[in-house]
Amino acid sequence: MNIEDVKNICVIGAGNMGHQIALCCALAGYKVTCTDISQEMLDKAEAFAKSYLPERVAKGKLTQEMADGALTNLQFIPSLEEAAGEADYVIEAAVEKMEIKRKLFADLDRIAPPQAILATNSSYIVSSQIADATKRPAKICNMHFFNPALVMKLVEVVQGPHTSEETAQVTMDLCAKLGKIAVLLKKEIYGFLVNRILSALAQEALFLADMGIATPQEIDIAVTNALGHPMGPFRLMDLTGIDLAYYSAMERYQTSRDPKDKPSPLVVEKYVKGEWGKKTKKGYYTYD
């Protein structure tokens, strides 16, 4: 298989990452199906596409022809069988829970054509923990986009011990077709490149907040004004989702059983309250 064989892409999950990844693929000229178990999420994703594209045309960032082509290429479908049945490449962007991903990949292995590559957008669950749920481990890899996927250029491609050179190369080539800059990790490691660096910063920031040294807002002010970061760790957590931070930490703890891997008390408090950041209108900050 090579990149020219990829015509149809299926994106699993219409949430914050999934619907933007789907739109990226549609704008690049691919026929895209985006599916989700929630009809509400699919409706929101479709509404976003129909508002985002005209806005880009109005700003001169897209031609009307490009916007019309992307809408024509993009379908939002509740049926996994229909969405993945003719896919050449599948990108899973579902919730960061191991049992859900393993079930999804087992289903995709049954539904998707045998030549299809199955990638996970997960930045913490490495694909070797999922690959054995399928009969095509050589065609499984991580393809990690950054939020917001329509804006962020970098994609981390992770070649696990089971991933073939062909799968890794097709994935790198697909990133280029999407207008992304890809980096290839030849070994699996928890958190990959960027999130390992960010998580070290976030862990220290959470420690300082949990200890009452400073508020999350004060820590963000310090990081943005002294280190030159475009946003602080707490504002970034609001953007990516405090629920994601909770799930990721719990997955890590359940694997390691090391108490230091448990989610921060502040993260647990926000998670329990349903204050997950921008998606719920409240996290460490309040959003209109």
Side-chain angles (χ1 to χ4, degrees):
M1 186 180 188
N2 60 57
I3 189 59
E4 302 307 323
D5 296 320
V6 178
K7 309 292 184 187
N8 302 311
I9 296 176
C10 172
V11 178
I12 311 294
N16 198 33
M17 290 298 293
H19 77 269
Q20 292 200 38
I21 294 170
L23 194 47
C24 281
C25 296
L27 283 165
Y30 289 99
K31 296 293 184 184
V32 183
T33 52
C34 181
T35 186
D36 198 289
I37 58 172
S38 166
Q39 185 62 51
E40 181 185 2
M41 293 301 293
L42 289 171
D43 292 342
K44 285 182 178 179
E46 187 168 7
F48 172 81
K50 288 180 176 178
S51 64
Y52 172 83
L53 291 168
E55 288 172 3
R56 301 299 284 174
V57 173
K59 291 179 179 179
K61 302 294 184 181
L62 291 176
T63 66
Q64 189 63 54
E65 184 180 7
M66 292 168 67
D68 291 343
L71 277 178
T72 301
N73 288 337
L74 186 55
Q75 288 184 287
F76 295 93
I77 301 172
S79 166
L80 181 64
E81 285 77 8
E82 188 179 348
E86 297 181 3
D88 304 305
Y89 201 105
V90 178
I91 304 170
E92 172 270 318
V95 66
E96 289 285 85
K97 291 187 176 181
M98 181 74 73
E99 66 273 15
I100 291 175
K101 291 188 186 293
R102 286 184 60 85
K103 172 66 165 58
L104 260 176
F105 272 72
D107 290 341
L108 287 168
D109 190 46
R110 171 178 53 83
I111 295 165
Q115 78 276 8
I117 291 172
L118 311 180
T120 175
N121 179 58
S122 178
S123 57
Y124 288 100
I125 298 175
V126 292
S127 66
S128 61
Q129 295 179 295
I130 302 169
D132 66 338
T134 76
K135 296 177 181 177
R136 60 178 93 188
K139 291 183 175 292
I140 312 297
C141 70
N142 284 81
M143 185 185 190
H144 175 230
F145 291 77
F146 288 82
N147 189 27
L150 282 161
V151 177
M152 299 294 282
K153 286 289 187 181
L154 188 71
V155 176
E156 294 172 318
V157 177
V158 186
Q159 183 177 3
H162 54 283
T163 309
S164 70
E165 291 288 342
E166 178 183 284
T167 295
Q169 188 58 57
V170 170
T171 304
M172 292 290 287
D173 291 342
L174 178 57
C175 290
K177 291 278 189 181
L178 299 180
K180 301 298 185 183
I181 298 168
V183 290
L184 177 62
L185 283 69
K186 300 291 285 186
K187 292 182 180 179
E188 291 184 334
I189 186 169
Y190 180 82
F192 309 157
L193 301 181
V194 176
N195 278 348
R196 285 188 71 86
I197 296 167
L198 282 177
S199 65
L201 179 68
Q203 185 175 7
E204 186 62 27
L206 284 164
F207 170 78
L208 292 169
D210 285 332
M211 293 295 291
I213 304 298
T215 66
Q217 295 75 22
E218 289 166 332
I219 293 167
D220 278 357
I221 289 169
V223 169
T224 54
N225 287 278
L227 301 181
H229 291 207
M231 67 177 70
F234 292 98
R235 179 78 73 178
L236 179 60
M237 219 181 305
D238 270 5
L239 179 64
T240 57
I242 296 169
D243 56 329
L244 176 61
Y246 174 83
Y247 292 141
S248 298
M250 284 302 295
E251 286 287 352
R252 182 73 184 270
Y253 170 65
Q254 286 167 5
T255 300
S256 71
R257 292 299 172 184
D258 188 336
K260 73 177 178 59
D261 290 330
K262 284 184 177 180
S264 148
L266 188 53
V267 168
V268 173
E269 178 188 338
K270 290 291 184 184
Y271 176 78
V272 171
K273 287 182 177 178
E275 296 174 358
W276 296 353
K278 201 167 184 180
K279 67 177 75 174
T280 60
K281 307 299 184 185
K282 187 175 182 181
Y284 299 108
Y285 298 85
T286 300
Y287 302 87
D288 293 332

